Amino acid sequence: MTSTRKKLVERHHNWKRTAYKDMPANSNSEKLDENGNLIRPKYVSNHTHYSPTNTNARISVKPGKARQLNYFGQIAVDDAHHVITGACADFADQRDSQCLAQILELAQGNLSEHDIELGEILADGGYSSGEALAYLDAKGIDAWIPNFGQYKPERAGFTFYKEANYYQCTQEGSKQAILTYKGEKTDSKGYTKRTYRSSESDCKDCPLREQCCGKATNFKKIDNSIHKEYYDLMHEKLTQNKPYAKQMVRIRSKTVEPVIGTLVNFMNMKRVNTRGIKSSNKHVLMASLVYNLQKYLRFIVKKPSILAQAIALSEGEIYASLKSVSVFINNSILSVSNLRILCKN
């Protein structure tokens, strides 16, 4: 085991000792609360639970959803006709942004077989990450992805000087402290950030120290993602083209969401009756194939068209009569199933 891996494992065990204190060790515990209800473990994660018969399944965490073993389905949809251009299954413990490269390569490969070029990529904020934006930039792909919620384009009261790589406090009444670059550090969640920090001598006697740094801290610290440049480029792109960006959001919503709803509710994507990531991937592919076949049949099947006009009569005995009917007769048989009447007022 490497020293880095050992450090991560020890940090996780230290977290568990605090978070799992006074909690039952497993779900079979018979410990009861003051109301007589069975106490079950509060934290269900991939560190504590797994399926011995389906080791590829992962516990997914989503607000409002139960924590359970799942697989992650990813699809790419064409905005013109809502045709699925790429589909795959992935591990449920990953984020959407970690699956972007795989689903994008699948869609590009399928499109290239038919000499179709990829135009623009539309995705929600879940696909926003430094790694994903760096991948799109390296591939030269035009993407419209809102930055994640914690992104800050600017730091209020501080000015960043890119060439010299430092921040300077510009708040009125402050001592104009300079926050120098201190290197890259990894936080408790595994994110690598660039750290900028001021000296204690510049901030400890500042009249704004308490509201800026806190009661017990004598210096100011700012952390930025190591991929902040890519976030800034996307933010600039979205803000400079607000009408077009809003249009892209509407197109994404009306294109992808109905397709996902159809797959989940009518193509058996809600539950996977197989084991293993390969079988789950086949399940997603078959559901997408059926969807595309139904879409294809709507393009090639010609429906009979019959024009009928209802004419209201002044007398009350007969209310309407057919003025003109054009019917395609196959083998000289007119059946009810072939008759489609459109009434025009």
Side-chain angles (χ1 to χ4, degrees):
M1 181 182 296
T2 63
S3 59
T4 303
R5 180 64 180 172
K6 184 178 180 180
K7 184 178 180 181
L8 292 174
V9 172
E10 290 177 353
R11 183 169 60 189
H12 173 70
H13 288 316
N14 292 333
W15 170 81
K16 284 204 304 183
R17 277 192 288 270
T18 303
Y20 285 64
K21 187 178 180 181
D22 298 330
M23 292 174 59
N26 54 61
S27 58
N28 296 325
S29 174
E30 297 180 356
K31 189 176 180 179
L32 303 177
D33 59 10
E34 62 273 13
N35 298 320
N37 298 320
L38 181 66
I39 299 178
R40 297 186 178 183
K42 181 178 180 181
Y43 296 101
V44 179
S45 68
N46 292 298
H47 296 289
T48 59
H49 294 73
Y50 82 101
S51 173
T53 59
N54 193 2
T55 56
N56 292 141
R58 299 287 188 272
I59 292 177
S60 60
V61 180
K62 191 173 183 180
K65 301 291 184 179
R67 293 193 176 193
Q68 57 187 5
L69 293 167
N70 293 318
Y71 286 99
F72 213 173
Q74 293 286 336
I75 62 170
V77 183
D78 166 47
D79 70 315
H81 302 289
H82 296 196
V83 176
I84 298 177
T85 58
C88 67
D90 213 327
F91 297 101
D93 58 345
Q94 296 193 96
R95 298 184 297 272
D96 286 333
S97 58
Q98 294 175 301
C99 306
L100 179 63
Q102 180 181 1
I103 187 62
L104 187 55
E105 289 177 0
L106 286 173
Q108 281 185 307
N110 294 332
L111 293 175
S112 61
E113 291 181 1
H114 302 278
D115 297 327
I116 302 175
E117 295 183 359
L118 183 65
E120 296 174 319
I121 297 297
L122 313 179
D124 58 25
Y127 290 88
S128 174
S129 71
E131 293 79 5
L133 295 180
Y135 169 82
L136 294 172
D137 183 74
K139 294 290 184 179
I141 298 174
D142 188 11
W144 297 82
I145 305 176
N147 288 325
F148 68 102
Q150 296 180 350
Y151 165 75
K152 296 180 180 179
E154 297 179 353
R155 302 286 181 164
F158 293 87
T159 302
F160 180 66
Y161 296 92
K162 185 176 182 179
E163 295 182 357
N165 195 22
Y166 70 88
Y167 279 92
Q168 183 173 11
C169 178
T170 56
Q171 301 180 76
E172 185 177 356
S174 67
K175 299 184 68 176
Q176 307 295 310
I178 294 178
L179 285 69
T180 58
Y181 176 64
K182 297 298 182 180
E184 297 179 359
K185 296 182 180 179
T186 304
D187 61 10
S188 58
K189 296 182 179 180
Y191 296 108
T192 304
K193 299 179 179 180
R194 300 190 186 111
T195 300
Y196 297 86
R197 212 188 92 168
S198 65
S199 63
E200 294 188 10
S201 59
D202 291 337
C203 294
K204 66 178 181 179
D205 296 328
C206 179
L208 304 178
R209 181 195 61 81
E210 185 172 338
Q211 67 183 40
C212 180
C213 305
K215 293 182 178 180
T217 308
N218 293 327
F219 60 88
K220 177 66 177 179
K221 185 177 72 169
I222 294 179
D223 292 329
N224 286 334
S225 169
I226 58 175
H227 299 104
K228 189 176 185 301
E229 293 80 7
Y230 298 108
Y231 290 117
D232 291 339
L233 290 175
M234 183 60 68
H235 175 75
E236 183 180 357
K237 180 179 180 180
L238 296 174
T239 53
Q240 290 182 353
N241 303 274
K242 285 186 178 180
Y244 189 71
K246 291 182 179 180
Q247 181 183 356
M248 293 296 101
V249 172
R250 290 192 294 267
I251 290 176
R252 189 206 64 82
S253 298
K254 72 179 183 180
T255 301
V256 179
E257 301 301 338
V259 176
I260 294 177
T262 302
L263 292 175
V264 171
N265 296 306
F266 302 105
M267 301 298 176
N268 199 27
M269 281 275 288
K270 186 176 293 185
R271 182 180 180 86
V272 180
N273 298 318
T274 57
R275 295 176 181 177
I277 187 68
K278 293 183 178 179
S279 298
S280 300
N281 191 61
K282 293 178 182 178
H283 187 97
V284 175
L285 290 175
M286 291 302 297
S288 302
L289 177 61
V290 172
Y291 177 89
N292 281 347
L293 283 175
Q294 290 185 348
K295 183 75 66 173
Y296 177 68
L297 290 175
R298 294 192 185 99
F299 282 103
I300 64 174
V301 175
K302 295 183 179 180
K303 297 181 180 179
S305 178
I306 299 174
L307 178 62
Q309 184 174 1
I311 303 175
L313 302 180
S314 58
E315 299 179 1
E317 296 180 356
I318 303 176
Y319 295 95
S321 63
L322 293 177
K323 182 178 181 181
S324 60
V325 179
S326 174
V327 181
F328 176 76
I329 303 177
N330 186 14
N331 296 329
S332 300
I333 299 176
L334 178 62
S335 62
V336 177
S337 61
N338 290 332
L339 191 63
R340 183 169 178 262
I341 299 177
L342 304 178
C343 295
K344 184 179 180 180
N345 295 330

